[in-house]
Structure formats: structure tokens, C-alpha cells
Amino acid sequence: MMTNNTADKFILLALRLITYAIVLVIGYILFDIIRHGSSALNWQFISSFPRRSGAAGGIFPAIVGTFYLVVGTIAVSLPLGIGGAIYLAEYAEQDRFNTLIRLAIVTLAGVPSIVFGLFGLGIFVLFCGFGPSILAGSLTLACMVLPTIIVASEESLRAVPKGFRDASLALGATKWEMIRTNILPYSMSGMITGSILGIGRATGETAPILLTVAAFYLPRLPKSVFDQVMALPYHLYILATQHPEADRIRHMQYGTALILLLLVLGLSLGAILIRTHFRKKYRW
């Protein structure tokens, strides 16, 4: 029979092996993408327009389209998500109704992305009449990441000690002044980090944009928010699974995957830098 010390060592070893296995798998995937994608990565591939239905040329319209979708998603989801989190954490009563709201938000965070794509198709594309467009795609992605942003932001707000609130109110500050000056600055690092990581996940989603905005071959740039765009996830999906020359253009598939990976890593790096900045500026 194992002693408590032996059991602890066994559990630690098992957790360590699991961690190493996960790191090795992720490392192999990254190595494979970088090894095969670096051969296609050059200025012409990044800056030129596609030709021959994507079998030649570059992916510049897909990069621009993805950038527009990310900016639109941030513009819609961040204010709504942070505002909702502030209400739930600071203003909402701890009653059954608000408990159900929190449960619904957590549940929505686990809903498959294709469901949000169908929702965006029905509401934004058809009912609102936006058609397949940047606006419809951005709103759909914003709806998808809102639960993640709300949950992360609310947890960051609740992590600020209660004494900060009590001291501010005792000095005569209003509720909003207390939140703005004593709560938000100290919770901003966690809020922004969670939000950007959620948006980074949306950047690589294919299903929502497949039904609301993405086009495979558009050798031009969009002129308004009501235009369709190419996007890196959908472009990669078509190149890898639907294109008649899929085997011959394997290098373009890896090059597109590498660009998408770099974009998501860039968002993650931005989240880390923002978190570091706020943690250095506001310590408690």
C-alpha cells in the first residue's frame, strides 16, 4: 500500500509526463508548420493577389480580410463584454435571476462555433439584411467571444480586494468613481489578457465566417463593411480540402497556416505585453 508521500510523488510524475507530452505534441506541430511553411514565406507571397483560384500568387487579400474581421470583432466585443462584466460584478444583485444569467454565459462559452455561424447567418445576414459581409462576420465573431470576455473580465474584477472598494466609498467617492479609479486599473491586465486571447481564438475559426462573410477567391480588396472578404482560416480550409490541386499546392497550405499562426501568436504576445505593463504600473 502506497504511503501519502509515495502517492504524491506518483501524481507529480504523472502530471509532469502529461505536461511534457502536451508540450512535445504542440512543439512538433509548430515545427512541422514552420519547416514546411517557411519555404513559401516571402514578400511576394504576402503582398500579392491570388491567381488561378488560389493555386498561384499570394494571400494579401486574405491577410487584409482577416485583419478587418479582427478589428471589427474587437470594436464590438470589448466594450460590450467589459461593460457586461462590470454590471455583473459590481451592480447586479446576487439573486437567482443573475445566477441564471451567469450560467447562460458560461454555457454559451462552450457552444460549438458552427452554432454561432448559423446564428449569424439567420440574424445578421438574412434578418438584418447585411448579407455576407465584414459587418455580419464581425458581429458573429463578437457574439462568439463575448461569453469568454465577460467571464474573464468578471473574474478579474472580483479578484480586486474588497478593501479597495470600501476605502474609496468611505472617502466619499460615488459607485462609478470607485469602479473607474480603484477597480478597473487593477483588474485591467486580466480583463485585456482574457479578451485578446478569446479574440485570438476567434481569429482562427472557420465555421462562423464560412456562413457570414468569407469568400474563397476575391482578387480585390473590400471597399466597405458590406463587402465580402477572403480570410486566412477559410482560405486554408479550401486549399487543404476542396481545391482540385490540393496535393500540388501543399507549400501554399503550409505558408497560409504559418501566416495565420504568426497572427495569433502576435495577438497573444500583445496580451502578454499589456498584462506586464498594467501589472508593473498597478501593484497590490
Side-chain angles (χ1 to χ4, degrees), residues 7-30:
D8 288 343
K9 290 182 178 179
F10 178 77
I11 293 174
L12 177 61
L13 177 61
L15 293 175
R16 182 176 296 173
L17 291 176
I18 292 172
T19 302
Y20 290 162
I22 293 173
V23 171
L24 286 175
V25 171
I26 295 176
Y28 173 77
I29 294 173
L30 293 177

Side-chain angles (χ1 to χ4, degrees), residues 76-89 98 101-106 108-109 142-158 190-191 194-196 198:
V76 175
S77 62
L78 274 187
L80 293 178
I82 292 177
I86 292 173
Y87 170 76
L88 290 174
N98 288 307
I101 290 179
R102 290 186 175 90
L103 178 61
I105 291 172
V106 173
L108 284 173
C143 290
M144 189 182 72
V145 302
L146 261 179
T148 303
I149 293 176
I150 292 174
V151 171
S153 299
E154 186 180 2
E155 290 299 321
S156 297
L157 289 167
R158 292 186 181 278
M191 295 169 71
S195 300
I196 293 181

Side-chain angles (χ1 to χ4, degrees), residues 147-229:
T148 303
I149 293 176
I150 292 174
V151 171
S153 299
E154 186 180 2
E155 290 299 321
S156 297
L157 289 167
R158 292 186 181 278
V160 178
K162 188 174 182 296
F164 283 39
R165 297 170 173 82
D166 295 339
S168 182
L169 294 174
L171 292 174
T174 64
K175 181 88 170 181
W176 172 243
E177 288 175 337
M178 177 267 293
I179 294 172
R180 181 172 56 85
T181 59
N182 273 32
I183 305 302
L184 284 180
Y186 294 96
S187 60
M188 191 60 68
S189 62
M191 295 169 71
I192 297 297
T193 300
S195 300
I196 293 181
L197 292 178
I199 293 168
R201 173 217 166 190
T203 304
E205 288 288 351
T206 303
I209 62 174
L210 166 67
L211 301 172
T212 57
V213 58
F216 169 61
Y217 184 63
L218 280 177
R220 56 178 174 79
L221 298 180
K223 297 180 180 179
S224 74
V225 295
F226 296 102
D227 287 345
Q228 278 188 280
V229 292

Side-chain angles (χ1 to χ4, degrees), residues 203-282:
T203 304
E205 288 288 351
T206 303
I209 62 174
L210 166 67
L211 301 172
T212 57
V213 58
F216 169 61
Y217 184 63
L218 280 177
R220 56 178 174 79
L221 298 180
K223 297 180 180 179
S224 74
V225 295
F226 296 102
D227 287 345
Q228 278 188 280
V229 292
M230 296 178 65
L232 290 171
Y234 184 62
H235 187 71
L236 177 59
Y237 165 73
I238 295 295
L239 288 179
T241 63
Q242 305 296 317
H243 201 282
E245 302 180 60
D247 293 334
R248 197 181 64 80
I249 57 172
R250 193 73 66 188
H251 65 290
M252 297 191 67
Q253 299 167 16
Y254 275 101
T256 304
L258 181 56
I259 293 294
L260 181 59
L261 177 64
L262 292 175
L263 178 60
V264 174
L265 288 177
L267 288 173
S268 301
L269 179 60
I272 294 172
L273 293 176
I274 292 173
R275 180 181 62 191
T276 303
H277 169 75
F278 278 100
R279 283 187 176 178
K280 287 182 178 180
K281 189 174 182 180
Y282 299 100

Side-chain angles (χ1 to χ4, degrees), residues 75-126:
V76 175
S77 62
L78 274 187
L80 293 178
I82 292 177
I86 292 173
Y87 170 76
L88 290 174
E90 304 296 335
Y91 290 97
E93 298 291 336
Q94 304 304 313
D95 54 17
R96 181 175 298 178
F97 177 72
N98 288 307
T99 300
L100 289 176
I101 290 179
R102 290 186 175 90
L103 178 61
I105 291 172
V106 173
T107 302
L108 284 173
V111 170
S113 59
I114 186 62
V115 176
F116 285 101
L118 292 170
F119 169 79
L121 173 65
I123 298 297
F124 302 124
V125 176
L126 300 178

